[in-house]
Amino acid sequence: MDLSGVFAPLPTPFDEQDRVDTARFSKAIARWVTTPLAGFVVLGSNGEAVLMDDFESDRVIVAAREAVPRGRTLIIGTGRESTQAAIKASKRAAEHGADFVLVRTPGFFKNQMTSDAFVRHYTAVADASPVPVLLYNFTALTGVNLQPPAVATLAKHPNIVGMKESGGDVAVIADLVNGTPKGWNVLAGTTGTFYAALCVGAIGGILAVACVLPDACVRLFKLTNAGRHDEARELQRQLMPITRLLGNVHGVPGLKAALRIAGYDVGVPRPPLAPLGDAAMDSIRAALDAFSNVTTTA
Amino acid sequence: MDLSGVFAPLPTPFDEQDRVDTARFSKAIARWVTTPLAGFVVLGSNGEAVLMDDFESDRVIVAAREAVPRGRTLIIGTGRESTQAAIKASKRAAEHGADFVLVRTPGFFKNQMTSDAFVRHYTAVADASPVPVLLYNFTALTGVNLQPPAVATLAKHPNIVGMKESGGDVAVIADLVNGTPKGWNVLAGTTGTFYAALCVGAIGGILAVACVLPDACVRLFKLTNAGRHDEARELQRQLMPITRLLGNVHGVPGLKAALRIAGYDVGVPRPPLAPLGDAAMDSIRAALDAFSNVTTTA
Amino acid sequence: MDLSGVFAPLPTPFDEQDRVDTARFSKAIARWVTTPLAGFVVLGSNGEAVLMDDFESDRVIVAAREAVPRGRTLIIGTGRESTQAAIKASKRAAEHGADFVLVRTPGFFKNQMTSDAFVRHYTAVADASPVPVLLYNFTALTGVNLQPPAVATLAKHPNIVGMKESGGDVAVIADLVNGTPKGWNVLAGTTGTFYAALCVGAIGGILAVACVLPDACVRLFKLTNAGRHDEARELQRQLMPITRLLGNVHGVPGLKAALRIAGYDVGVPRPPLAPLGDAAMDSIRAALDAFSNVTTTA
Amino acid sequence: MDLSGVFAPLPTPFDEQDRVDTARFSKAIARWVTTPLAGFVVLGSNGEAVLMDDFESDRVIVAAREAVPRGRTLIIGTGRESTQAAIKASKRAAEHGADFVLVRTPGFFKNQMTSDAFVRHYTAVADASPVPVLLYNFTALTGVNLQPPAVATLAKHPNIVGMKESGGDVAVIADLVNGTPKGWNVLAGTTGTFYAALCVGAIGGILAVACVLPDACVRLFKLTNAGRHDEARELQRQLMPITRLLGNVHGVPGLKAALRIAGYDVGVPRPPLAPLGDAAMDSIRAALDAFSNVTTTA
């Protein structure tokens, strides 16, 4: 049940006709599997899951499980707006080989998404899911907030074993760690505060940048755990420019562009998302080159 | 193509086992059809569309079209996060008898939802939809904003004939009216500013309160159009308490509770939404009674 | 006590050495007095009051009262962060001839600025002020919100006779009107929604644009009151481009630039505010010319 | 010029007649001087500076300098909305013995407070100030944001030697550290993320909680610097409940209540702020007791 380490939230490849392309996905995963990443998240926010239907989702899960060897953790995103849809998706994911499901908060009916509503929703999902459940809070995208007190309540459920918190507020990470049992898995979702999140007790991270720079992210994790804070802080600093470009600035199109530059073929984003223009592509290439130069020299 | 008047965004009935209940829906529509409402929106935000799958959606559209006579406008909500899903949903809705489709903005990938992205998305949907398209902006729920300049561009598309703006900012309604051709249909989505929206040029409204108090909403529309501003202002004032309770305060569960009080059977909300508690129910009953008393006396 | 009509919130002239210039102020007021404006606000937000000390404020009040004839309403801004400072400023303003004081909410300690705190603050100021008090809510600048229920309470105080609400939310204007006694003075502070605010019951407005285009603003007021809604709506529409430039876009420096173009000499803004650059100046000139052309032709 | 360590932002005592009480202030400072705090901030946000006039401010500075021995750092808050007022206040503070001035961003005219405006403002203040200047960003209270690139520019000025960043976003602290020269003083202003801020390179902190628990805050600083991260993290965790109560929840009234419980006599807050009620007082007492128990036992 230990989820320590760095996980990559994989993008879903679409081809030029806007179809899911599992062949490209299998090939890319085969390369990611050679890195020291602890495991993978499929159909998360970076996986454009909200742009896909359930048939496509199933195909992607099956392809991922075939490409990710047993023993390497595979987490499947199964968040849906309705409780019954989240349950169905979690059951299908489990059937197809998910080790964990990562369930983003519902967020459409914002005023009604109280802590009580979240506790009811996640309890129902966890009661029904054949595999352990990870909570998932991403306020910047959902507009709702699963707060530490509700998480403390949910952490008592035997089938809810951890959480991804995608906000950059390190005080919240600390609250989540302090409010849940020792060994409960609090995972950071923001690369830009990964070092600080580890300092305050996160057990690991699910980091978009880890798709592109898996070795660096794992090194940052290990340096911090080894108490080599000066080196960790410096590595975190070096990661900031590319982190920004792949985060708020360019999002999923930025991640797909960076992966193309890094030699992964993950196709194009699905409309209404659009591929990055040349200027943006150049800025990402420059940031990757700069990172590569500084770390090679060091 | 004229969409003047008041439209009701109907709730979708679910039974106590969390299943879509089209029998209840048909029966409720039969009663709404006897009111002076100009038409109906099915599978909008109030219809809990985001909590339903595509099979359920189709059944609800079919049931609605059977219950709403031809000649009475039926608008179907077909907003989806991906462009291709919005197109498919619009085609299905048209096939099942929709007069118009109402397409809410995608909103998950907030930073990428630029005006350009919206123009691409809606152009693709309008190119493909067999029936005319209405734009739909609801920033409070989606966290993104389809702004007047992008609307002015989209209004030139021959298959985009109007818009529902759910924000309460009357200056925005005025901008939408001023930026689009005469006769293009700007519809208000907020009951609390309906009178003011009509003053600045909205042609009508899609109003949750109109499900519960159709006659009053239609009277407000007619008084304003007749230049009887003092009476309109007074009626708008009388509508405020119930409007607040059905809007921000209690949302869909509030609407379903108010309809039950008014004698409509539309079942329960779908989880994670929950039925209203007794105290909230009482506050709605009191607001409806107060409205009834003041208007009966007058 | 009747505050119906249009009031102009006058800018304070500073000279090129960053000193208050009352000579320029007197000369400009002499021209404003020839317009049909109902009166003037001095030392409001547009008057850069927060950039001035108490000595300068007194000089400006004295100069204004000399230039504004008795019988023409003179309102002085006396908002301060502390209750005792607001009281002192109100007493000084009254001594120097203010007809009313306009008291902006304190706003620095945001979490503590509850409705109770506002009621205590304004009650103390109104108890002590020799002249009637107007409340003043400007959430966009203060970050706090004086809400309709607190206003309804404060409206019972015999020395609190009205309010300026600077937000553009017309539903709030309606709530303020509906929650206060008939004849209590609700004044709109946003030119862009002035027509709509009058529709829902505002008695008048304090409008930055009225410094530059007093005749047009007064005409808008009269057309609406005369029930000539189509003409009012059209005039409101014509005012929008210049309204936007003087509001959010360019603020006080924009207002001073527009006045210079219109032949008023009100000097430069006080640092850290800076005079407008040439491009911005040109855009304001173009908007004023466009407005002038369209209204002359009509 | 080294500002490492923990500084306390002292509250200003007011008596029951709402007058500044420098006698109480001197007595309280005499006790604070016996603690291991690196120094003191007077007339900051916690000092209710915005509620005081310039005469009162001068008296408080004089009293503070008399009570704080030379060699112990005394920082005076001199932020004002206008550039010339900030300059005058900084000169007066220097004359009365300030070692540094802490200059909060102007924030009233939000749309005009661009990076350029901040650079002009701070450059003018730093050019004129006889003592070194610290920048001060507190977005939650001012509604404006002095961002890392502008700080990087300003850090080149020889008389601008550091900054207090009161936001809790640790990534911003890291950006400030990374964008300024080694040895430039980045000080955290939020107790709840103090440990994390030190991890990413802050040199110290100006912490409200340090008024009440100076020894604990200094211990947290020393543990972190000594690489004893587990103990630091645990102490940070223990400080959270009281930190929350003194921060967002109860603000200045909470700080004054906590100090009364701790045996300091700092009078009452100035209206419109109000003293804490009994229930809030009890919650603070309980949090202080809990902290005392856990640290005594340990």
Side-chain angles (χ1 to χ4, degrees), chain A residues 168-171 175 178 192-193 195-196 198-201 229 233 237 240 244, chain D residues 168-171 175 178 192-193 195-196 198-201 229 233 237 240 244:
Chain A
D169 188 335
V170 171
D175 286 350
N178 295 334
T193 47
Y195 161 68
L198 293 172
C199 285
V200 301
H229 284 268
R233 196 155 39 221
R237 194 185 65 73
M240 289 315 291
R244 284 213 179 77
Chain D
D169 188 334
V170 171
D175 285 350
N178 295 334
T193 47
Y195 161 70
L198 293 171
C199 284
V200 301
H229 284 269
R233 195 155 39 220
R237 192 185 67 72
M240 290 314 291
R244 284 211 180 81

Side-chain angles (χ1 to χ4, degrees), chain D residues 27-133:
Chain D
K27 209 172 143 199
I29 294 178
R31 183 168 158 201
W32 275 310
V33 163
T34 66
T35 70
L37 290 168
F40 307 95
V41 173
V42 166
L43 293 176
S45 307
N46 268 310
E48 294 170 75
V50 296
L51 304 182
M52 295 162 62
D53 67 28
D54 287 339
F55 308 106
E56 295 175 316
S57 299
D58 275 7
R59 288 177 48 216
V60 164
I61 300 169
V62 169
R65 185 70 276 180
E66 284 175 359
V68 175
R70 293 279 166 185
R72 200 73 166 274
T73 305
L74 178 62
I75 303 168
I76 304 293
T78 59
R80 296 291 188 279
E81 284 295 324
S82 87
T83 304
Q84 66 165 251
I87 289 173
K88 282 180 197 161
S90 298
K91 286 181 171 172
R92 279 199 309 274
E95 194 180 321
H96 297 321
D99 295 313
F100 299 85
V101 289
L102 177 65
V103 184
R104 197 185 50 244
T105 56
F108 188 78
F109 296 108
K110 293 180 170 44
N111 286 339
Q112 280 69 47
M113 290 303 100
T114 58
S115 284
D116 277 358
F118 286 138
V119 168
R120 281 196 313 269
H121 178 76
Y122 279 114
T123 301
V125 173
D127 285 350
S129 172
V131 295
V133 169

Side-chain angles (χ1 to χ4, degrees), chain B residues 11-277:
Chain B
T12 305
F14 299 100
D15 69 16
E16 287 63 27
Q17 277 74 47
D18 198 9
R19 295 171 302 200
V20 167
D21 189 335
T22 52
R24 273 170 168 155
F25 198 34
S26 305
K27 209 171 144 200
I29 294 178
R31 183 166 158 204
W32 275 310
V33 163
T34 66
T35 71
L37 291 167
F40 308 95
V41 173
V42 166
L43 294 176
S45 307
N46 268 311
E48 294 170 77
V50 296
L51 304 182
M52 293 161 63
D53 67 29
D54 287 339
F55 307 106
E56 295 173 317
S57 300
D58 275 7
R59 286 177 47 217
V60 164
I61 300 169
V62 169
R65 186 69 278 180
E66 284 174 0
V68 175
R70 292 279 166 185
R72 200 71 167 276
T73 305
L74 178 61
I75 302 168
I76 304 292
T78 59
R80 297 290 188 279
E81 284 295 323
S82 86
T83 303
Q84 66 165 249
I87 289 173
K88 280 180 197 161
S90 298
K91 286 181 171 172
R92 277 199 310 273
E95 193 182 324
H96 296 321
D99 295 312
F100 299 86
V101 289
L102 175 66
V103 184
R104 197 184 52 243
T105 57
F108 187 78
F109 296 107
K110 293 179 171 42
N111 286 338
Q112 279 70 47
M113 290 304 100
T114 59
S115 284
D116 279 358
F118 286 138
V119 168
R120 280 197 314 269
H121 178 75
Y122 279 115
T123 301
V125 173
D127 285 349
S129 172
V131 295
V133 168
L134 302 173
L135 311 176
Y136 181 10
N137 190 44
F138 198 164
T139 301
L141 288 194
T142 62
V144 299
N145 195 8
L146 176 62
Q147 294 179 297
V151 173
T153 300
L154 287 165
K156 293 173 186 155
H157 192 293
N159 205 28
I160 300 179
V161 301
M163 173 170 186
K164 178 185 183 190
E165 167 57 56
S166 284
D169 188 335
V170 171
V172 169
I173 300 281
D175 286 351
L176 292 170
V177 171
N178 295 333
T180 54
K182 209 170 165 59
W184 204 77
N185 300 285
V186 174
L187 294 157
T190 303
T191 311
T193 47
F194 186 43
Y195 162 69
L198 292 172
C199 284
V200 301
I203 199 169
I206 299 175
L207 308 174
V209 174
C211 297
V212 187
L213 297 170
D215 295 287
C217 292
V218 171
R219 194 161 77 245
L220 176 50
F221 174 75
K222 290 187 173 169
L223 285 171
T224 310
N225 278 9
R228 294 162 65 180
H229 284 269
D230 287 344
E231 293 162 86
R233 195 155 40 220
E234 176 62 15
L235 179 53
Q236 174 76 71
R237 194 186 65 72
Q238 291 160 353
L239 282 166
M240 290 314 291
I242 187 65
T243 293
R244 285 214 178 77
L245 289 174
L246 301 194
N248 287 335
V249 181
H250 294 305
V252 168
L255 176 60
K256 287 194 161 172
L259 285 168
R260 167 166 306 188
I261 293 167
Y264 288 84
D265 178 9
V266 292
V268 291
R270 171 163 275 187
L273 296 180
L276 237 51

